[in-house]
Amino acid sequence: MMTRRSFFSSLAVGGWLAREAVAAPGPGRTDRLELSDEQWRQRLTTEQFRVLRKEGTEPPFSSPLNSEKRHGIYKCVACDQPLFTSAMKFDSGTGWPSFFETLPDAFAFSSDFRVFLLGTEYHCARCGGHHGHVFNDGPKPTGKRYCNNGVCLKFEPEAV
C-alpha cells in the first residue's frame, strides 16, 4: 500500500529523473553545444546562467522583450538557435514573453514535478538551456502558451 510519504517521494524522484533527462541537448543533433559550467559562466551573464543552466525564473515584467513589437526572430541567447518568430508572439499578460508556437525542432520537452503539479518544461534542443514552461491556455490555433524567460532570448529584427 502506498502511503502519502511514499507517493510524494516517488513524485520527487520522478521529477529529478525527468530534469536529468533533459540536462543535455537533443540527442542526434550534429550542432549540439555542450560546455562546462565554467565555459557557460564566461559566455553568459550571471542572470542568464542562473535561468538557462540552473533552471531559474526571471521576475515577471522584467524583460524588455515583453513590449517588443517589431517583426523578427527570437533566438536562444546561449547558442543562437532560432526558436520563435514575431508572428508566434502574443501578449499573455503574465509578465513573460509568450508564444503560441515554436519553430520546428527548437526545443526538447520534459515533465516538471517541482511544485507538485505536473508541468511541461522546455529546453533549447541545441544547448539544453532552460527557457520556460508550456501551458494549455494560449490562443488559437494551437491553444498553447510557451511562457519564456526573456533573459534567455535575443531578438533579431527583420531587415527593412
Side-chain angles (χ1 to χ4, degrees):
M1 180 171 166
M2 183 173 275
T3 65
R4 177 181 275 188
R5 179 175 287 173
S6 63
F7 172 75
F8 285 116
S9 294
S10 297
L11 280 179
V13 169
W16 178 80
L17 289 172
R19 287 180 56 205
E20 291 302 304
V22 294
R29 287 190 68 120
T30 58
D31 63 346
R32 290 169 59 148
L33 180 60
E34 297 182 58
L35 302 174
S36 69
D37 274 357
E38 186 53 40
Q39 290 170 312
W40 282 121
R41 286 183 202 281
Q42 291 173 7
R43 179 174 241 188
L44 302 169
T45 67
T46 302
E47 181 69 354
Q48 289 168 339
F49 181 84
R50 185 184 72 77
V51 175
L52 283 162
R53 308 313 307 169
K54 299 301 177 186
E55 298 184 340
T57 302
E58 70 185 358
F61 302 100
S62 64
S63 175
L65 293 178
N66 281 335
S67 58
E68 180 60 64
K69 303 289 188 221
R70 296 174 291 172
H71 292 282
I73 300 285
Y74 292 86
K75 294 182 174 184
C76 177
V77 73
C79 71
D80 263 357
Q81 165 86 3
L83 305 171
F84 307 101
T85 69
S86 55
M88 299 168 176
K89 187 172 186 256
F90 71 101
D91 183 1
S92 67
T94 61
W96 290 278
S98 297
F99 305 85
F100 62 82
E101 182 64 88
T102 73
L103 290 171
D105 303 318
F107 294 108
F109 299 87
S110 68
S111 296
D112 183 0
F113 295 95
R114 283 178 281 180
V115 292
F116 298 106
L117 297 172
L118 178 61
T120 303
E121 186 174 72
Y122 58 98
H123 292 75
C124 176
R126 180 182 289 160
C127 70
H130 165 77
H131 277 261
H133 291 81
V134 61
F135 302 95
N136 292 318
D137 60 0
K140 292 180 180 182
T142 65
K144 301 288 185 192
R145 173 173 52 96
Y146 292 85
C147 191
N148 214 100
N149 287 287
V151 71
C152 302
L153 298 171
K154 70 177 180 180
F155 178 71
E156 291 187 2
E158 212 173 76
V160 285

